[in-house]
Amino acid sequence: STYNGVLNAVPLLWIGAVLALLAASLLSTRWWRVKPQWHLICLVSLGLLSSLWSDYPRVSVRVGLLMLASYLLISVQVSMYGARAAHESIKASLNLVLIASVLTILLVPSYGISVGLEHEGRWQGVFNHKNSLGVFSAFSFTYFAWRWQGERRVADGLSCLLSAFLAWGSESGS
């Protein structure tokens, strides 16, 4: 049976939240003083341009625009509060999604665990597809492994293990 509950709106709410935070940040600061990082702008632009030859151009443009909005939000945050505060926000956000995914798998398995012939039983957490959880978990693993190398905090090690566990459960090949 397929899930038709409120959690299906999470991806759309995520996009709306990023855009709302970006707008609020830009309105509350002198946004014209944010120094652009041209190498990242070129990378995001290449991602948007790649939608021209994508099999799914609408999806590619949507993901590219979300990446661009996320980049702008992080740039504004770093310029307002500094890199340390930005890393603490990233860490908290990643952990929130990881823990929410585990809770969704355990408490709302009709959404948190994929259904259907092809993906049945694979974990998707708060995401709408198992590969989204896999890609997010791989990114989280990389981020927390990087933090672990520098500071050796137990919390970062546990987050790294949780990321690896969710990537394994998603059985994502992406």
Side-chain angles (χ1 to χ4, degrees), residues 25-149:
S25 297
L26 290 174
L27 290 174
S28 69
T29 187
R30 295 182 181 135
W31 59 271
W32 57 87
R33 294 178 58 192
V34 175
K35 295 179 183 172
Q37 298 172 358
W38 294 108
H39 61 286
L40 292 176
I41 291 173
C42 290
L43 185 64
V44 171
S45 298
L46 181 62
L48 286 171
L49 287 174
S50 72
S51 65
L52 295 175
W53 59 83
S54 172
D55 290 339
Y56 304 100
R58 288 179 32 198
V59 173
S60 298
V61 168
R62 233 181 13 238
V63 170
L65 290 174
L66 182 58
M67 284 175 41
L68 177 62
S70 300
Y71 161 74
L72 291 172
L73 179 62
I74 291 168
S75 293
V76 168
Q77 183 180 13
V78 168
S79 71
M80 288 173 65
Y81 304 111
R84 181 173 286 295
H87 277 289
E88 290 303 315
S89 293
I90 291 169
K91 184 173 87 168
S93 299
L94 293 176
N95 277 323
L96 177 69
V97 175
L98 292 171
I99 291 167
S101 289
V102 169
L103 292 175
T104 303
I105 291 165
L106 295 175
L107 301 176
V108 191
S110 60
Y111 183 87
I113 299 175
S114 297
V115 296
L117 297 175
E118 191 175 348
H119 304 303
E120 185 175 9
R122 293 170 178 97
W123 300 349
Q124 66 184 32
V126 295
F127 297 93
N128 60 355
H129 196 276
K130 71 177 188 75
N131 288 341
S132 298
L133 175 63
V135 168
F136 179 85
S137 298
F139 172 78
S140 296
F141 177 85
T142 304
Y143 180 77
F144 287 116
W146 171 73
R147 287 185 58 90
W148 173 257
Q149 284 181 338

